[in-house]
Amino acid sequence: MTVCKTTGLTVEQQNRWPFLYSHLSTDIEIPSLTNVDEQFIIEMDKEISKILKKVGDGKAKSRESLTRHLTGLLQRRFQRNAKVQAFGSSVTGLSLGTGDLDLCLSFKREQPKKVLRKIAGLLREEGMMDIQQIPKAKIPIVKFTDSRSGLDVDISIENRLAIYNSKMLKGYAQDKRVREFILMIKYWASRRGINTAFEGTLSSYAWTLISIQHLQMTNPPVAPNRQKGGKQNLIEINGDTFDISNDSSPFESKNQQTLASLLIAFFDRFATRWDWNEMVVSIRNGGPLNAEKKKWTHTGPLPLEIVTGQSKNRMEHIMPIEDPFDHEHDLSRVVKAEGAMTIQEEFMRALHLLSQGKSWKDICAPVMEIDEEPEDFFHDLRNQNTDSLKQRIEEMKAEVVQVEERIHSLVTERQNSKELLDLLRGTLQETRNVKSNRQSILAELRPLSMKVQELRQTRDGINDRIAIPTKRIQQEMVRMFDSLTAEVDVFNTQSLGREKGDFSYFFELQAMYKASIESNQAHQEFIRLRREQNKEYKALKNTNSQEEDVLNRLVEKNPELKGINLHPKTVKEFQQNANKLQKSINIQYSNKHELKREIGRIEAWIRIATSKGNQRPRKDSKPRQNRRQAPTVNINEVRERASTGGSFSLNELDALLSKGGISGIESKEKTSTSGQSERRKSGRKKSTYRVDPRQGRKRGKKQSRN
Ligand code: CTP
Ligand code: MG
């Protein structure tokens, strides 16, 4: 493998990042865009306005109806507790039509447990595709693709800040020039494959913030600072406080620059003049923040060091971008080394192409070749006759019935399996109750036996010392008391020694009496506890037969349990079986949805073909060359209806056919995303160096390989 001595990049990497590589390895001059020809700007503006006509949220209606559908679904599942709100580009007005649908699910009362799993289950039943749960993120998310519209959807949980920041972005986007500028940056980032946070580049949201920052910094500013009002609006989320104040008053800019000239200035700024090591993008500040003051200076290795294998450590604050409300959130924390290299390559590429007078279309050329004349949505149906299509529909409908039957039987089987599982769990629970009853008896018996033992020892110990029964001691005490207290016969007095002996005998009797009482009490307690102990022994014996009884009773009531080994392991097996059945059910559901979609598509085509003056469908799949211009209709809207099987006027139909069916939008979206994913796939192997090329080169040279 040939490795560049200066940079450490392999040939493959050099080819992947050619502009960046030439800056890192040689002393080529960084082009300047300060004196761009006016005619060039005029041409570029013309081009941009053409692109702007094409982009836009052609799927707005699908988004709306899908949002309504999902809202209903989630509210039925979580009752009135659930609240669904859209955010992101479908509300900010910053959609290119290719973005995802961002929804936020929040709860008015307590959030249900295992909520992501519940949502995923619900979506599966709906036949949604590629369902992924991301439970560990700060904001948990379920991602999926709507099988009908093909829209990618993110449902995030309690994403309150996103609702507020979307509202603010909507405010910024009210200004036409600001909106169009952001759209063009998003367009460029999307076509060049650098707008996917989860694959290590920047999110569309981050590109939006960078765009706004640029427009705030032009002279005079094109965009205002909507967070400068002074009056705070504090909210608390999970114990943290955020100021979500947002000045939505109209802003009149004195800046006269056109979109093209603003875009050129954008690339000039971010490709060469923005020092990512010292500057933090901050739209709430209206201009860059000092990275050192914010404690966001870059730490860790440079991207180049990572991609060339010199370091495996983590990079921090590689392209610091502050979230306008969550000031601790750096949107570049998702950027990986390869992503940072690719972003910088794209900045450099745009700068070079612009300096060479290349068009905006060239700058935004998709990273993978896209088929500019894609097959249309009905291409395979055009040369088929209506009757055979109708027959196909009938066959597919019969298949749907079969699939539904299969689903029904699988669901019933799973239901039975689940019931048996519940029964098993219940049985184990009941016998567990008996077992735990036994445990608690044993737990009580242990101290009881010890106490009985103790009492016995006390009693016997005393009795060993005092052989005389209590009654006898009492009598002796009375006798001695009488004798010691009787009137003294002066002529017959006892000797002093004898009297002392009587007294000590009396005291001894007293002590014996006390001990004897203690012994009696111990004996009484001993008897009582022995009785209790006997009762517990009986209860213990009972539990054995109880366990048998429970099992017999349950098997009698539920013959299904006969022969089943009532053991926790069996429960696990049953659970696994139920899961397997659920998987088969999901597969059948997606088969059903697939079939229904195909039926809808063929039906839509038959409607189109027959309503077109009862003409036979066209034989060739390519749009006709010299077709007359379709009447003015909103083609995106018509395509939208065609994809969902809606009806059209003849004018609309005409327009649709002359634009190649509904494929225009569909295929472009597909190709552009597939282009991106290709780029992303290959991007994984890529690497980068620090975003400022001059720094990178210095580092590269210093650490060159010999
Ligand atoms: N968001 C956020 N924090 C992030 C990323 C996104 O708060 N780190 C929120 C923002 O409210 C943003 C929304 O999520 O508006 C959607 O993000 P994203 O899909 O990246 O932007 P869109 O403008 O919706 O772009 P696209 O049209 O490509 O979907
Ligand atoms: Mg989005």
Side-chain angles (χ1 to χ4, degrees):
M1 190 168 54
T2 325
V3 173
C4 166
K5 285 181 183 161
T6 312
T7 60
L9 292 169
T10 63
V11 174
E12 196 204 346
Q13 289 171 327
Q14 293 162 25
N15 292 337
R16 194 176 300 149
W17 301 303
F19 289 96
L20 197 50
Y21 174 63
S22 58
H23 278 280
L24 290 172
S25 55
T26 56
D27 273 332
I28 67 162
E29 209 180 302
I30 294 172
S32 164
L33 295 178
T34 36
N35 287 319
V36 178
D37 180 48
E38 228 170 80
Q39 192 53 38
F40 175 76
I41 295 180
I42 293 171
E43 291 304 319
M44 186 168 156
D45 270 315
K46 278 190 200 156
E47 227 190 321
I48 289 170
S49 75
K50 270 191 213 153
I51 295 173
L52 280 167
K53 275 191 194 119
K54 278 199 239 160
V55 301
D57 202 357
K59 287 197 168 187
K61 283 215 166 139
S62 287
R63 281 174 205 275
E64 272 168 35
S65 66
L66 182 60
T67 306
R68 264 199 310 277
H69 176 63
L70 292 169
T71 305
L73 207 66
L74 292 165
Q75 286 191 336
R76 272 195 298 282
R77 179 67 178 79
F78 301 109
Q79 286 80 42
R80 293 275 142 206
N81 187 16
K83 191 167 150 200
V84 181
Q85 284 166 287
F87 64 97
S89 60
S90 43
V91 300
T92 56
L94 293 169
S95 175
L96 290 171
T98 51
D100 52 5
L101 169 62
D102 302 291
L103 294 179
C104 167
L105 172 66
S106 47
F107 295 95
K108 294 173 200 157
R109 296 184 299 279
E110 209 185 329
Q111 181 179 318
K113 290 206 177 81
K114 298 182 184 164
V115 66
L116 286 199
R117 244 203 263 166
K118 286 179 183 157
I119 300 172
L122 201 63
L123 297 170
R124 225 170 272 130
E125 281 168 27
E126 281 297 299
M128 299 301 180
M129 302 184 300
D130 304 331
I131 303 164
Q132 286 174 54
Q133 298 172 44
I134 308 172
K136 299 237 166 81
K138 195 171 163 195
I139 303 280
I141 297 181
V142 184
K143 287 176 162 299
F144 62 96
T145 305
D146 173 39
S147 46
R148 202 172 164 84
S149 61
L151 278 171
D152 289 331
V153 186
D154 279 7
I155 298 183
S156 48
I157 314 294
E158 302 288 358
N159 198 356
R160 284 172 63 198
L161 274 189
I163 305 280
Y164 293 115
N165 65 39
S166 294
K167 199 171 152 208
M168 183 165 74
L169 294 187
K170 187 177 177 184
Y172 277 108
Q174 264 163 11
D175 180 280
K176 184 168 176 277
R177 193 165 35 153
V178 173
R179 183 177 64 252
E180 292 182 343
F181 179 86
I182 299 173
L183 282 175
M184 279 306 95
I185 294 298
K186 280 180 71 174
Y187 179 75
W188 163 75
S190 146
R191 308 230 335 161
R192 300 302 302 166
I194 48 171
N195 68 338
T196 317
F198 71 90
E199 291 191 342
T201 56
L202 287 169
S203 63
S204 291
Y205 175 57
W207 284 114
T208 306
L209 298 181
I210 299 178
S211 307
I212 294 174
Q213 180 84 105
H214 173 66
L215 299 181
Q216 286 174 327
M217 290 175 70
T218 51
N219 189 14
V222 176
N225 178 351
R226 297 207 170 273
Q227 289 170 276
K228 217 180 47 186
K231 201 165 165 260
Q232 289 194 324
N233 182 5
L234 301 178
I235 59 158
E236 206 191 287
I237 300 173
N238 297 333
D240 293 321
T241 308
F242 302 97
D243 177 10
I244 51 149
S245 55
N246 163 26
D247 173 8
S248 53
S249 52
F251 176 78
E252 285 279 327
S253 170
K254 295 201 168 54
N255 187 310
Q256 298 295 317
Q257 280 177 273
T258 66
L259 281 175
S261 115
L262 288 169
L263 283 166
I264 293 168
F266 174 88
F267 289 107
D268 186 43
R269 184 191 304 281
F270 286 102
T272 64
R273 290 189 287 111
W274 192 273
D275 186 348
W276 291 102
N277 220 6
E278 288 184 3
M279 294 149 97
V280 177
V281 171
S282 169
I283 68 161
R284 66 122 181 166
N285 188 50
L289 288 171
N290 181 297
E292 206 172 327
K293 274 196 194 144
K294 194 166 166 74
K295 299 199 175 70
W296 274 17
T297 40
H298 164 244
T299 54
L302 296 171
L304 182 69
E305 291 168 327
I306 296 180
V307 301
T308 51
Q310 297 169 56
S311 174
K312 282 197 166 68
N313 293 344
R314 230 185 106 73
M315 318 178 294
E316 296 277 359
H317 307 302
I318 190 65
M319 296 180 69
I321 302 161
E322 181 198 63
D323 184 274
F325 293 145
D326 182 358
H327 306 162
E328 291 311 308
H329 181 186
D330 175 359
L331 286 148
S332 76
R333 75 176 169 208
V334 293
V335 174
K336 296 195 181 119
E338 294 186 349
M341 292 287 281
T342 310
I343 292 171
Q344 189 56 28
E345 163 73 13
E346 287 307 325
F347 275 131
M348 297 310 292
R349 177 181 172 275
L351 189 72
H352 275 271
L353 296 196
L354 283 170
S355 71
Q356 290 161 13
K358 291 276 162 53
S359 69
W360 182 239
K361 197 174 162 215
D362 289 333
I363 292 159
C364 299
V367 276
M368 288 300 288
E369 276 308 303
I370 56 167
D371 184 1
E372 292 293 352
E373 191 67 38
E375 283 190 315
D376 74 79
F377 193 61
F378 301 119
H379 70 283
D380 54 332
L381 307 176
R382 290 189 184 281
N383 49 7
Q384 300 212 22
N385 88 31
T386 317
D387 288 342
S388 69
L389 287 177
K390 280 183 180 162
Q391 195 185 333
R392 204 156 114 200
I393 289 177
E394 288 315 310
E395 282 164 12
M396 280 194 290
K397 280 185 176 167
E399 218 178 306
V400 169
V401 173
Q402 277 176 12
V403 172
E404 276 171 346
E405 276 167 11
R406 228 170 291 151
I407 291 176
H408 180 73
S409 81
L410 281 167
V411 167
T412 318
E413 194 184 335
R414 184 171 179 275
Q415 197 78 30
N416 291 342
S417 179
K418 282 287 267 184
E419 273 169 21
L420 205 57
L421 184 65
D422 289 344
L423 207 61
L424 257 173
R425 282 199 181 121
T427 308
L428 284 172
Q429 185 58 46
E430 279 208 39
T431 53
R432 203 174 292 147
N433 287 346
V434 176
K435 276 182 191 135
S436 80
N437 199 9
R438 186 181 310 155
Q439 288 302 323
S440 66
I441 294 174
L442 281 171
E444 275 173 28
L445 257 174
R446 244 168 259 129
L448 199 62
S449 305
M450 275 164 70
K451 187 81 191 153
V452 166
Q453 185 84 356
E454 234 173 70
L455 287 168
R456 184 192 285 136
Q457 276 172 3
T458 313
R459 185 198 63 186
D460 295 352
I462 296 174
N463 291 354
D464 281 351
R465 279 186 283 122
I466 313 159
I468 327 163
T470 319
K471 201 154 178 212
R472 183 84 187 82
I473 299 172
Q474 215 174 358
Q475 285 167 353
E476 268 297 284
M477 276 173 72
V478 171
R479 191 183 64 77
M480 282 310 292
F481 183 79
D482 287 348
S483 137
L484 287 169
T485 54
E487 223 169 290
V488 181
D489 176 357
V490 286
F491 298 106
N492 196 14
T493 48
Q494 288 185 48
S495 68
L496 187 61
R498 178 86 189 269
E499 196 169 291
K500 265 189 183 171
D502 282 355
F503 264 107
S504 66
Y505 180 49
F506 180 73
F507 290 136
E508 203 179 318
L509 281 172
Q510 259 187 335
M512 276 163 65
Y513 182 70
K514 201 172 156 230
S516 169
I517 297 279
E518 263 173 43
S519 154
N520 283 348
Q521 277 170 351
H523 180 66
Q524 293 307 321
E525 186 63 3
F526 170 79
I527 299 288
R528 192 182 67 77
L529 292 187
R530 270 311 289 264
R531 279 198 196 115
E532 227 172 86
Q533 207 182 13
N534 282 344
K535 253 198 255 164
E536 299 283 346
Y537 278 133
K538 261 192 203 160
L540 197 62
K541 266 194 186 167
N542 259 347
T543 55
N544 285 339
S545 53
Q546 249 177 12
E547 192 174 346
E548 256 174 50
D549 282 354
V550 168
L551 290 180
N552 289 341
R553 209 166 4 96
L554 282 166
V555 175
E556 209 172 287
K557 256 206 279 175
N558 310 285
E560 308 94 291
L561 287 174
K562 215 173 190 170
I564 292 178
N565 182 9
L566 296 168
H567 191 270
K569 258 192 189 164
T570 324
V571 173
K572 211 171 159 191
E573 279 165 21
F574 270 76
Q575 180 65 62
Q576 280 166 351
N577 187 41
N579 291 349
K580 260 192 211 157
L581 286 166
Q582 184 60 55
K583 271 192 191 144
S584 312
I585 293 169
N586 296 343
I587 293 171
Q588 293 304 330
Y589 266 123
S590 47
N591 285 348
K592 180 182 150 185
H593 284 279
E594 201 62 34
L595 281 164
K596 285 204 151 180
R597 216 142 47 105
E598 184 60 359
I599 292 172
R601 186 179 77 103
I602 302 179
E603 281 177 344
W605 168 246
I606 292 176
R607 262 202 307 279
I608 292 167
T610 46
S611 59
K612 198 162 164 56
N614 282 333
Q615 275 177 15
R616 287 279 302 276
R618 279 196 281 145
K619 285 266 184 279
D620 59 332
S621 62
K622 284 190 183 146
R624 285 178 216 165
Q625 293 299 309
N626 300 322
R627 244 191 117 65
R628 74 182 158 79
Q629 192 62 38
T632 334
V633 290
N634 183 340
I635 192 68
N636 284 348
E637 200 213 322
V638 179
R639 280 171 174 157
E640 183 64 29
R641 256 183 284 146
S643 67
T644 51
S647 56
F648 324 93
S649 71
L650 276 179
N651 275 357
E652 288 170 337
L653 198 67
D654 219 13
L656 183 73
L657 290 174
S658 68
K659 302 259 176 186
I662 72 167
S663 61
I665 275 188
E666 292 258 334
S667 334
K668 261 178 214 151
E669 277 167 359
K670 265 186 213 143
T671 39
S672 100
T673 21
S674 71
Q676 280 173 27
S677 65
E678 278 304 320
R679 169 63 169 266
R680 283 176 208 138
K681 267 181 222 149
S682 61
R684 281 202 193 108
K685 286 181 235 144
K686 294 179 184 175
S687 56
T688 284
Y689 90 112
R690 176 74 189 158
V691 174
D692 181 342
R694 285 158 297 188
Q695 282 180 35
R697 191 165 75 211
K698 257 204 249 151
R699 289 292 293 263
K701 274 186 175 163
K702 243 193 279 172
Q703 299 170 2
S704 63
R705 295 171 183 192
N706 297 316

